[in-house]
Amino acid sequence: MAIRRGRGVAAVNYPTGMNLGGDPSQALVHSTPTGNFMVTLSSVDLGQGLKQVMAQICAETIGVPTERVIIDTADTDTGPHCMGTFASRGTHRIGNAIIQAAREARHVMLEVAAEALEVNATDLDTDGEGNIHVKGAPQRSISIFDTALTAHFKLGLSISGRGMFLVPRSYPETETGAMKPSTCYAHACTVADVEVDDETGEVTVTSVKNVFEIGRALNPRMVEQQLVGGSWMGISHALYETTEPYYPSREHGGTDFNEYLTPGPGDLAETETIVLERPATDGPYGAKGPGEMAANPQIPAIANAIFDAVGVRVDTLPITPERILRALKQQRAAH
């Protein structure tokens, strides 16, 4: 009986969003009288940082500091339509809708500034710090604060915009059934190292190395947090989590989260994560969706590492010590 070591590799590609009725998302953007911008959505932030990234996308498009943008997720009764926060679609679908709405609002904003400065709107640009100036003559400028006041109280205009992103639907070919379910895919590869006690069946994941290709990382720190957290979730899915009854009867199953088995800090492997940026042609500033994919490749990589260590395939999750021991027993009996 011994501790046996193994290494496993797995690679995945993951579609961004879905091919269902165009997978639409809508956004509304409007300026307050003081030059802040409100983005109204029906999209929910699940904790992954959607509000922050949507504020960045809106700010970049209009040309204002991110702190001047407020995200209101409203609800599905009062907000614009959204299919939902799932399928790793949030950044891609909602971000594209916000870009459309923000461009429309920016157009109105520049028209108002042009009237105030007595120039053509096409001659104006923003500095990203809250000002609008004449191209090549930055001394001729007006603040976005004053522009918003002019629009609201002098011209009676609403600095606002509407946006809706819709994916061209792909229909199956009659002859082959081939279709294009997604317009862009994210990719990942994981290498996992494990130690398996062939007497107890206990698995220790000693190292996980991940490479993720996610389009463009709009907020690199938040992307890193999501990918590392997702990697730990992948370990949990592979080795710990289940809602099924425990051996030998249903009474031994977990009844609450105190009994639901998940890894603690001491069970998490040394983790290295590398991000590759290959901007998507139809993504908001090149972004794809890294969400759910973050927890996917670790599972088959760990399963492959266990096979490399002790020579048995366990194809039921989680890969518990009991299942490994049963597989080893069957292996010995076969030999």
Side-chain angles (χ1 to χ4, degrees), residues 10-165:
V12 303
N13 65 336
Y14 202 89
T16 298
M18 59 182 181
N19 178 46
L20 180 62
D23 197 17
S25 279
Q26 189 179 16
L28 305 176
V29 173
H30 74 272
S31 167
T32 68
T34 54
N36 291 323
F37 286 86
M38 179 72 70
V39 181
T40 305
L41 307 170
S42 290
S43 313
V44 178
D45 191 325
L46 302 177
Q48 79 277 36
L50 182 141
K51 285 186 175 182
Q52 173 63 29
V53 173
M54 296 305 108
Q56 289 179 222
I57 290 172
C58 180
E60 179 71 18
T61 305
I62 294 177
V64 297
T66 303
E67 57 267 22
R68 298 288 292 270
V69 178
I70 303 162
I71 304 296
D72 175 19
T73 53
D75 60 45
T76 53
D77 283 333
T78 61
H81 176 257
C82 180
M83 291 294 288
T85 306
F86 59 91
S88 301
R89 66 185 296 281
T91 297
H92 188 274
R93 304 298 199 255
I94 304 160
N96 274 317
I98 287 176
I99 287 176
Q100 290 182 18
R103 283 174 177 167
E104 190 172 295
R106 175 184 168 88
H107 175 76
V108 178
M109 179 182 74
L110 293 182
E111 290 287 349
V112 172
E115 182 158 339
L117 294 172
E118 298 181 340
V119 297
N120 292 323
T122 55
D123 295 329
L124 297 177
D125 201 358
T126 50
D127 64 1
E129 298 180 356
N131 300 296
I132 302 169
H133 62 84
V134 177
K135 296 174 184 177
Q139 70 278 5
R140 293 193 63 192
S141 66
I142 183 173
S143 69
I144 292 175
F145 177 93
D146 288 334
T147 302
L149 289 175
T150 299
H152 281 80
F153 298 108
K154 184 177 180 180
L155 302 179
L157 291 176
S158 172
I159 299 178
S160 59
R162 301 165 296 172
M164 191 160 188
F165 183 71

Side-chain angles (χ1 to χ4, degrees), residues 4-5 93 126 136 179 183 240:
R4 302 185 181 276
R5 294 176 175 83
R93 304 298 199 255
T126 50
M179 63 183 298
T183 61
Y240 296 90

